[in-house]
Amino acid sequence: MTFKFRSRIFLYLLLLLALFVCSQFVIYLGVESAHWMANPYESLGEGLREVAEAMGLTLWLVPLLVWAAWIISRWMVRPLRAMAKTAGRIRGGRLDERIETAMMPDDETKSLAETVNAAFDGYAGALRRLERFSGDAAHQLRNPIAAIRNLGEVALSRSRTVDEYRETLETMLGELDRLTRIVEQLLQLSRLEAGTLQRRFAPIPLRSVIEQVRQIYQPLAEARGVELAVATGAADVRIAGIEELLVEMLGNLADNALRHAPAGGDVRIEVLAGTGSAAQLVVTDSGPGIPEEFAETIFDRFAQGPGGGTGAVGLGLSLAAEIATVHGGKLKLANPGQPGARFECRLPIVQT
Amino acid sequence: MKDEANKGTAGLLVVEDDPQVAQSLAQGLSEAGFAVSTAGRLAAADEYLANGATALIVLDLNLPDGDGRKWLRRIRQEGHRMPVIILTARDTLAERVAGLEEGADDYLTKPYAFAELLARIRARLRTAVAQSDDEVLQIGDLEIDRLHRQVRRAGRQVDLTAREFDVLALLAQWRGQPVSRDLLAREVWKVNRRLTPLDNVIDVHLSHLREKIDGAHETKRIRTVRGVGFLLAEEAE
């Protein structure tokens, strides 16, 4: 036999009431018997009648107490009912509804309601990001497809010289390359999110990752007239991870920094001894920085920074952030609204 | 009709069910000088194998009448030893390893650059550019010593950075054929350029190489094939 939560509370209260009445009866009886034992000349019957009278009064109160128990039980489950109802509405698609906690007493039910609300906040946010992402993905894939289509149609609309056809085909291949890259990056993001890469983790010296990235981007920095400064003072630590992914992460950060640093400026890659068991990888450029209104979305897929026209599709920073997360770390923009964007990546280190 | 195994001399067999892909591969490979046959189904591929000599198989994995990998395992058990290059859209590491374990010699993920497929086929058939295993490659007046990592143009030493040399050596290895940016990124920088931004880096190296190799010379050896990659020309234009 199953009882609803409310009936259960009601039954507990009734049980308590019954226990109280019984113990009252036993105590009265005990007191009267003790009195009779001490004064054996008095009649026992007198005492028992007194007990019966007292119990009778109590029994008159019982219906009132039962009614109070019924009300109390309802009052106790009310927050839970409200939560279930709201959760049901949210499940039904009304993602902005939240459980009303303002009137709740500051107890476990309130903290439960707040936890549930926070979980819904998280899901609603994720869902909104996902919606925006699929929209953006479709949009970003459409652009190169439209370009390829237009190029083909225009080329075939009248006859052209061989050189013109060649040029069309070359441009088409360039657009296809862009398309391929977007698809590959999206696939990589879903691979990272699938969370199965951890099986391939090995201890990777952070210094070697930084060194590889420095070697790759040094010539580009020189060609751009940007100084690429690498300070690896605290880099003699190892990260549990996949080396190619870590290179990919830092590579995307370095490329981003190099695109924003002006000629004559600098890009710095440094490792700071982080707090406790983490290392802090910092990439700073001397560019204009990232305004606060972009700080929130800078790691979103297809996010475009200020100006937008740097030629990037907007997946590089998403990839970097996702790689940091896969490695148990966190990538963040440390100084929104200030000149010289500073990206900080906290990575847990392998203890030796 | 496309399912019929077209007979040919000892040549390449392309097992691919998408007619557009099969046709473009056949055209490209024929123009590169190979005798090419196509099969759209495994049954047709079997028939072809039974009837003629095949130098190399280009194999798609998703075929209407079966799994290409199982088929590959079977023909290996039957004793066919020719090189097999798998082309597929499935690209997880596990898939890749499984493909190679079934007896494939190489594995290319769609979309791939045709130049790269061609390069791999030639490498497998060892008909790649003559003397490509030589330590010193001679291309016109350009001399590339891969052992001592030295380059001379018209007898004069050219100083290159290590990466510039690696790029030049790769172009020289595939001389006369365009080398894709993907291949350069993978071979020289060991990264996937679709995930690690590298185009600007590649451009910087190519522009340095042009300056150092071709700068003072009439014949420009390093050429850009727009949309495809770069090539080291054997002949003067």
Side-chain angles (χ1 to χ4, degrees):
Chain A
M1 187 163 165
T2 57
F3 289 101
K4 284 188 169 176
F5 187 50
R6 182 186 172 181
S7 329
R8 238 162 39 214
I9 294 176
F10 181 57
L11 283 175
Y12 291 149
L13 291 173
L14 285 189
L15 198 68
L16 273 179
L17 187 61
L19 265 173
F20 174 71
V21 171
C22 291
S23 24
Q24 195 187 21
F25 180 66
V26 169
I27 290 166
Y28 284 178
L29 217 55
V31 169
E32 286 303 325
S33 344
H35 183 73
W36 175 69
M37 299 239 256
N39 311 280
Y41 322 105
E42 288 181 20
S43 148
L44 178 61
E46 180 72 13
L48 290 180
R49 208 171 55 246
E50 276 174 27
V51 171
E53 272 171 19
M55 287 314 293
L57 264 177
T58 305
L59 287 178
W60 272 108
L61 281 173
V62 162
L64 192 69
L65 293 174
V66 168
W67 176 76
W70 183 245
I71 298 295
I72 289 171
S73 67
R74 192 170 78 181
W75 181 69
M76 285 183 75
V77 288
R78 199 160 52 187
L80 285 181
R81 283 205 174 163
M83 272 186 249
K85 221 164 151 186
T86 315
R89 277 203 300 273
I90 293 171
R91 197 176 140 232
R94 298 173 63 174
L95 289 175
D96 294 327
E97 292 239 1
R98 290 295 175 270
I99 299 159
E100 187 57 62
T101 55
M103 300 298 286
M104 284 187 182
D106 203 3
D107 61 5
E108 288 90 341
T109 41
K110 185 174 185 173
S111 84
L112 174 63
E114 282 167 351
T115 312
V116 171
N117 276 348
F120 278 126
D121 283 344
Y123 293 137
L127 207 62
R128 267 194 294 275
R129 275 199 298 279
L130 195 65
E131 276 170 4
R132 194 173 56 221
F133 163 67
S134 358
D136 288 345
H139 180 74
Q140 292 288 338
L141 293 175
R142 263 185 190 164
N143 278 338
I145 292 173
I148 293 163
R149 190 182 175 89
N150 288 346
L151 284 163
E153 286 173 346
V154 170
L156 291 174
S157 64
R158 62 177 173 81
S159 59
R160 290 168 197 281
T161 66
V162 171
D163 279 348
E164 282 174 319
Y165 286 126
R166 184 194 306 275
E167 195 177 322
T168 301
L169 288 171
E170 288 166 349
T171 315
M172 276 182 163
L173 286 173
E175 286 299 300
L176 276 171
D177 196 52
R178 191 149 74 101
L179 197 57
T180 306
R181 191 178 308 205
I182 296 173
V183 170
E184 184 98 355
Q185 289 178 335
L186 290 175
L187 275 173
Q188 178 78 339
L189 280 165
S190 46
R191 274 195 292 261
L192 289 167
E193 280 176 344
T196 50
L197 292 165
Q198 278 86 351
R199 270 179 276 158
R200 287 169 50 205
F201 275 17
I204 308 296
L206 189 51
R207 184 184 291 281
S208 129
V209 172
I210 295 172
E211 194 46 39
Q212 286 180 54
V213 171
R214 192 190 64 73
Q215 281 180 14
I216 292 173
Y217 290 96
Q218 183 71 57
L220 178 59
E222 277 168 22
R224 292 264 172 89
V226 173
E227 192 200 345
L228 179 60
V230 174
T232 53
D236 280 323
V237 289
R238 288 181 302 161
I239 313 280
I242 298 172
E243 188 160 30
E244 60 185 75
L245 286 183
L246 291 168
V247 169
E248 201 176 300
M249 177 185 81
L250 189 55
N252 273 289
L253 289 176
D255 175 75
N256 180 67
L258 283 170
R259 267 186 292 116
H260 291 99
D266 64 350
V267 166
R268 286 200 310 276
I269 302 176
E270 7 179 19
V271 180
L272 311 174
T275 47
S277 56
Q280 184 95 311
L281 183 58
V282 183
V283 179
T284 324
D285 65 62
S286 60
I290 294 162
E292 280 182 48
E293 64 262 36
F294 291 98
E296 186 99 341
T297 54
I298 193 81
F299 296 113
D300 282 2
R301 289 158 199 200
F302 302 118
Q304 287 296 341
T310 50
V313 184
L315 286 170
L317 287 178
S318 310
L319 269 174
E322 200 62 46
I323 292 171
T325 308
V326 163
H327 287 83
K330 173 101 184 130
L331 176 65
K332 65 174 173 117
L333 175 67
N335 62 345
Q338 290 166 33
R342 176 185 172 94
F343 287 92
E344 293 183 354
C345 180
R346 193 178 45 75
L347 287 169
I349 61 180
V350 180
Q351 306 290 347
T352 41
Chain B
M1 295 300 284
K2 68 182 162 63
D3 284 350
E4 267 177 44
N6 308 308
K7 292 262 177 68
T9 49
L12 310 186
L13 173 62
V14 174
V15 186
E16 161 70 65
D17 65 321
D18 186 314
Q20 289 298 336
V21 176
Q23 197 215 323
S24 65
L25 277 181
Q27 187 188 344
L29 292 173
S30 317
E31 284 175 10
F34 293 104
V36 187
S37 307
T38 59
R41 289 170 176 273
L42 294 177
D46 275 331
E47 200 180 306
Y48 182 87
L49 278 187
N51 291 342
T54 306
L56 182 144
I57 300 175
V58 176
L59 177 65
D60 179 40
L61 287 186
N62 267 332
L63 290 149
D65 58 344
D67 180 353
R69 271 189 296 157
K70 286 188 187 135
W71 181 80
L72 174 58
R73 196 191 320 160
R74 204 192 71 223
I75 67 160
R76 286 298 192 223
Q77 279 163 2
E78 286 169 3
H80 293 285
R81 292 275 154 268
M82 71 286 281
V84 173
I85 298 178
I86 289 182
L87 296 184
T88 179
R90 305 184 215 168
D91 72 335
T92 65
L93 187 74
E95 288 282 349
R96 202 171 275 257
V97 171
L100 295 176
E101 276 173 358
E102 302 295 359
D105 298 270
D106 211 337
Y107 200 105
L108 263 180
T109 310
K110 293 176 182 173
Y112 51 85
F114 181 75
E116 194 166 349
L117 174 64
L118 199 58
R120 302 238 191 149
I121 289 174
R122 289 197 163 128
R124 288 297 154 195
L125 292 178
R126 303 193 185 286
T127 60
V129 193
Q131 340 126 343
S132 72
D133 287 337
D134 286 4
E135 283 153 9
V136 180
L137 299 177
Q138 187 80 45
I139 298 147
D141 57 355
L142 181 64
E143 193 182 309
I144 300 165
D145 180 343
R146 295 198 284 190
L147 186 64
H148 301 99
R149 297 176 69 83
Q150 284 181 347
V151 176
R152 272 177 294 279
R153 174 96 200 242
R156 288 178 64 144
Q157 175 105 12
V158 183
D159 288 325
L160 298 180
T161 67
R163 297 258 195 206
E164 285 163 5
F165 182 86
D166 291 340
V167 172
L168 184 65
L170 192 68
L171 293 180
Q173 191 184 338
W174 301 114
R175 62 179 122 157
Q177 302 164 36
V179 174
S180 70
R181 284 169 176 269
D182 283 346
L183 185 67
L184 274 173
R186 202 171 48 239
E187 294 289 317
V188 176
W189 283 273
K190 317 289 179 205
V191 299
N192 179 347
R193 84 175 241 284
R194 295 177 189 164
L195 301 175
T196 308
L198 204 68
D199 282 0
N200 293 327
V201 175
I202 293 176
D203 287 339
V204 165
H205 283 78
L206 261 298
S207 100
H208 287 169
L209 265 181
R210 281 207 174 90
E211 207 172 290
K212 291 178 181 177
I213 302 288
D214 287 337
H217 296 267
E218 188 77 3
T219 311
K220 307 296 181 198
R221 295 237 169 245
I222 300 171
R223 293 177 198 159
T224 303
V225 187
R226 268 192 63 212
V228 180
F230 306 94
L231 73 76
L232 192 62
E234 289 175 281
E235 313 295 331
E237 236 171 76

